[in-house]
Amino acid sequence: VYSGLDTTKFVFRGFIPRETKERKILMDEVKDKKETLIFYESPHRLIDTLDFLNSVLGGRKIAVCRELTKLHEDIYRGTIEEAYNWFLNNKPRGEFVLVIEGKSEDEIKAEKEEAFANITVEEHLINLINSGISKKEAIKIVSKEREMPKKDVYKIAIEL
């Protein structure tokens, strides 16, 4: 609640792994989640972790919560990049909880538009059919991914 971010739905994953390969696997699992992401982090790894999170999650909002429920409790709120720059100049001390906003509907919509900007509905259908998916299933997939009525995709598929 202190984070100021949406807490109606969240994903808690504990400590972020030390190894780059394991970090990337974790981020692949959580980067597209709409829920707020919550992690623990130690002070000696915080700056490196914020740099990594910035490269993967971009300009999302973050609350870096220090020493929760203790005498020196403190919360930094801003974007991941702002937090990274702040902690470069202010030595991290104490235990940290990172609360990161989930992927917004606007981000999801923009990514879908970008993904389908260079491929027509016909090409999308053909690619799916060539990969071994039935025409009927390809119509369902294209309809769902492009948020188009199934009957419109069906009309296009008939002409293939």
Side-chain angles (χ1 to χ4, degrees):
V1 173
Y2 275 167
S3 72
L5 299 172
D6 182 18
T7 56
T8 54
K9 292 183 180 180
F10 61 89
V11 175
F12 172 73
R13 292 300 300 257
F15 283 96
I16 295 174
R18 292 175 194 255
E19 301 297 320
T20 303
K21 182 179 176 183
E22 292 173 12
R23 282 179 166 197
K24 288 180 180 178
I25 291 170
L26 173 63
M27 286 302 120
D28 284 343
E29 290 175 18
V30 300
K31 70 181 179 184
D32 293 327
K33 295 212 177 279
K34 295 178 191 176
E35 298 87 0
T36 298
L37 307 173
I38 303 173
F39 302 100
Y40 288 144
E41 194 52 272
S42 64
H44 63 278
R45 291 182 14 196
L46 181 67
I47 293 171
D48 182 48
T49 296
L50 289 171
D51 187 34
F52 174 74
L53 290 172
N54 188 46
S55 70
V56 176
L57 302 177
R60 291 193 196 181
K61 293 179 186 173
I62 189 171
V64 182
C65 309
R66 180 176 77 94
E67 295 290 303
L68 287 178
T69 73
K70 297 179 183 172
L71 180 64
H72 299 289
E73 179 178 272
D74 189 27
I75 299 176
Y76 179 88
R77 294 176 189 89
T79 65
I80 297 172
E81 182 177 8
E82 292 167 346
Y84 170 74
N85 291 328
W86 196 87
F87 282 101
L88 276 177
N89 299 317
N90 299 280
K91 186 177 186 233
R93 295 188 322 215
E95 300 168 346
F96 290 92
V97 176
L98 308 178
V99 184
I100 306 166
E101 79 176 333
K103 189 174 246 185
S104 70
E105 291 294 332
D106 291 339
E107 281 181 284
I108 294 168
K109 186 176 181 181
E111 284 179 3
K112 280 185 180 180
E113 288 173 3
E114 185 179 323
F116 298 127
N118 298 322
I119 184 172
T120 65
V121 175
E122 293 87 352
E123 291 170 330
H124 195 173
L125 284 165
I126 291 168
N127 289 343
L128 290 171
I129 293 166
N130 287 342
S131 71
I133 295 174
S134 71
K135 194 180 238 185
K136 182 179 178 181
E137 192 62 30
I139 291 168
K140 284 183 190 177
I141 292 169
V142 170
S143 173
K144 182 177 180 182
E145 288 181 354
R146 290 180 176 256
E147 297 177 1
M148 291 176 62
K150 202 182 298 184
K151 65 180 181 177
D152 293 347
V153 178
Y154 180 76
K155 287 178 186 175
I156 295 168
I158 288 175
E159 296 173 10
L160 292 179

